Amino acid sequence: MTDHSGKKPHHHGDLRAALIQSGIDILTESGLEALTLRRCAARAGVSHAAPAHHFDGLSGLRAAIAKEGFDRFRTQMLRSRASGSQSPEGRILSLCRGYLDFAVENPALFALIFSCGPMSQFEEDMKAGTATAYGVLRETCAPFVPEGADPLVVETQVWSLIHGFSHLFLAGTFGPDSGPPDHHRLFAPVMALLREIGTPPAPK
Amino acid sequence: MTDHSGKKPHHHGDLRAALIQSGIDILTESGLEALTLRRCAARAGVSHAAPAHHFDGLSGLRAAIAKEGFDRFRTQMLRSRASGSQSPEGRILSLCRGYLDFAVENPALFALIFSCGPMSQFEEDMKAGTATAYGVLRETCAPFVPEGADPLVVETQVWSLIHGFSHLFLAGTFGPDSGPPDHHRLFAPVMALLREIGTPPAPK
DNA sequence: TTCTCCAACTTTACAGTGTAAACTTTACAT
DNA sequence: ATGTAAAGTTTACACTGTAAAGTTGGAGAA
């Protein structure tokens, strides 16, 4: 209704994209609680009511930012996966590094993406974003799925492990200030999982 | 400065405790975004500025609620752990069940406890709460720590797995509506981890 | 008892927020 | 040029957190 593809708007060059970028900037600079419709609008140089013509209120703006964030998240994981060893183990470990690094570098955006409360608005857009990011994880996990087994089990395990580690690390639960990301502490459990899963005693 | 122990206040029976309980009720009934100073105060039957005498603003109230929530979280895990098989495997599996069940039954409180953004205020209280809840996990993991190994590694793995699964499950990432908690999907990876960790090829 | 004090609580005020409605401007099709 | 609808502005309102000043009521001292 309000927008679909790359139609150039009339007055502003490309509000909506500008609003999303403003929102991401605010998240990066000032955290999750600072993400405000009015501040977003002000940063983009428009009146505080302008976003209403592009998003369905604040939740709509948050959903749009989350979708964009999810795309960048996926991109960073792909880049990280391509940067290291291309063995199955190397690929999945590099993917995990990309996952954790994104969370550490963009904590507020990461939190927004996975904020469980107002997930209601997301729906279509979010499911698409989840699907593609999930697809990256899935194809990286594929070599470790025992023949005849449900790939969902392996994917769930790996994703839970990466995500839980990243979230707890960000929340400071592992200590008041655990220093740099410490990838090894994440890689060791992932490898432990893969060793157990990748060598099934009796697949059938 | 504002309070310390069980000193009975003058007018109200025991505001502070009442405010915390009101907050938890609001979280349970209406979600994280509905937790408001004024609503909390109204529900406790006091003016909207009354909480200022017991907590340091909204963040202080949230911290106090998170601490109380963490205590209940720990209690539920202990109860769950005591309810099943007392073998090392049974204890850790029951603990995981308690973890996931608490998250599913109290999603907003669970999110508040682990909200990473405004972790600044927590400090003392939160660290104590984390320590005790972490202690429960630690002693449950102890039997699986290979001799001479760092217990932190095992604890981190198990906690990341439980937490990531619970968080992603709550966020609906595993599907639009994955039905009931499905403990088996959590237990299988935990067991896989324990099998790998508990039988070290060569500890030293 | 009466007085005094002070913590607990209320009232008032203010800046900032999201949202809705009415209004103004501008680009485009006809 | 003209009409129309989208894009953006202005105005208004209910709600939020926070700070300051005002009120109340119980506890200890005279």
Side-chain angles (χ1 to χ4, degrees), chain B residues 36-38 48 58:
Chain B
T36 276
L37 264 180
R38 291 171 114 103
H48 72 269
L58 176 62

Side-chain angles (χ1 to χ4, degrees), chain A:
Chain A
M1 202 70 86
T2 50
D3 63 274
H4 291 90
S5 53
K7 261 193 318 187
K8 289 291 180 64
H10 301 236
H11 304 65
H12 190 282
D14 188 0
L15 207 62
R16 183 180 165 95
L19 286 169
I20 291 177
Q21 184 55 51
S22 298
I24 293 184
D25 291 341
I26 290 174
L27 280 179
T28 303
E29 296 172 8
S30 314
L32 193 56
E33 318 231 321
L35 181 61
T36 277
L37 263 181
R38 292 171 116 103
R39 264 197 274 239
C40 245
R43 187 170 185 121
V46 293
S47 84
H48 72 270
H53 294 266
H54 296 272
F55 309 100
D56 180 20
L58 175 61
S59 56
L61 174 62
R62 286 168 49 108
I65 293 176
K67 176 166 161 48
E68 171 65 22
F70 222 99
D71 284 345
R72 301 190 183 185
F73 184 37
R74 184 180 113 271
T75 300
Q76 175 153 343
M77 281 195 290
L78 283 173
R79 190 169 39 217
S80 180
R81 191 182 67 176
S83 74
S85 157
Q86 291 305 304
S87 70
E89 291 84 2
R91 278 162 58 90
I92 208 166
L93 256 40
S94 295
L95 185 82
C96 291
R97 178 199 297 273
Y99 200 105
L100 177 57
D101 286 348
F102 182 89
V104 167
E105 289 163 14
N106 316 301
L109 187 53
F110 182 79
L112 175 64
I113 291 173
F114 289 102
S115 77
C116 30
M119 202 69 157
S120 51
Q121 284 287 357
F122 293 62
E123 298 294 335
E124 296 306 319
D125 292 338
M126 198 55 188
K127 259 190 282 187
T130 303
T132 44
Y134 179 67
V136 175
L137 183 80
R138 165 164 245 177
E139 67 185 22
T140 314
C141 285
F144 298 93
V145 178
E147 199 160 348
D150 184 3
L152 233 152
V153 176
V154 176
E155 296 152 14
T156 299
Q157 298 179 16
V158 174
W159 202 355
S160 296
L161 200 51
I162 310 172
H163 187 77
F165 187 89
S166 302
H167 192 232
L168 291 173
F169 184 85
L170 242 57
T173 316
F174 290 148
D177 185 25
S178 304
D182 188 2
H183 295 104
H184 179 67
R185 215 158 129 192
L186 170 60
F187 290 170
V190 172
M191 284 311 297
L193 253 185
L194 296 181
R195 271 194 299 268
E196 168 65 23
I197 297 165
T199 57
K204 184 56 187 296

Side-chain angles (χ1 to χ4, degrees), chain B:
Chain B
M1 203 71 86
T2 51
D3 64 273
H4 291 90
S5 54
K7 264 193 314 186
K8 288 291 180 64
H10 299 237
H11 305 63
H12 190 282
D14 188 0
L15 205 64
R16 184 180 167 95
L19 285 170
I20 292 177
Q21 184 56 50
S22 298
I24 293 183
D25 292 343
I26 290 174
L27 281 179
T28 303
E29 296 172 8
S30 313
L32 194 55
E33 316 232 321
L35 180 63
T36 276
L37 264 180
R38 291 171 114 103
R39 266 197 272 240
C40 246
R43 188 170 184 120
V46 294
S47 84
H48 72 269
H53 295 266
H54 295 273
F55 309 100
D56 182 20
L58 176 62
S59 55
L61 174 63
R62 285 168 49 107
I65 293 176
K67 175 167 163 47
E68 171 65 22
F70 222 99
D71 285 344
R72 300 190 185 186
F73 184 37
R74 186 180 111 269
T75 300
Q76 174 152 344
M77 281 195 290
L78 283 173
R79 190 169 39 218
S80 180
R81 190 182 68 177
S83 74
S85 157
Q86 291 305 305
S87 70
E89 291 84 3
R91 279 162 57 90
I92 209 166
L93 255 42
S94 295
L95 185 82
C96 291
R97 177 198 299 272
Y99 200 104
L100 176 58
D101 286 348
F102 182 89
V104 168
E105 290 163 14
N106 317 301
L109 186 53
F110 182 78
L112 176 62
I113 290 174
F114 289 101
S115 76
C116 29
M119 202 68 158
S120 49
Q121 283 286 356
F122 292 63
E123 298 293 336
E124 296 305 320
D125 293 339
M126 198 55 187
K127 259 189 282 187
T130 304
T132 44
Y134 178 67
V136 174
L137 183 81
R138 166 163 243 176
E139 67 185 20
T140 313
C141 285
F144 298 93
V145 178
E147 198 161 348
D150 185 2
L152 233 152
V153 175
V154 177
E155 295 152 15
T156 299
Q157 299 180 14
V158 174
W159 201 355
S160 295
L161 200 52
I162 311 172
H163 186 77
F165 186 89
S166 302
H167 191 233
L168 291 173
F169 183 85
L170 241 58
T173 316
F174 291 147
D177 185 25
S178 304
D182 188 1
H183 294 105
H184 179 68
R185 214 157 130 194
L186 169 60
F187 290 170
V190 172
M191 284 310 298
L193 252 186
L194 296 182
R195 271 195 300 268
E196 169 65 24
I197 297 165
T199 57
K204 185 55 187 298

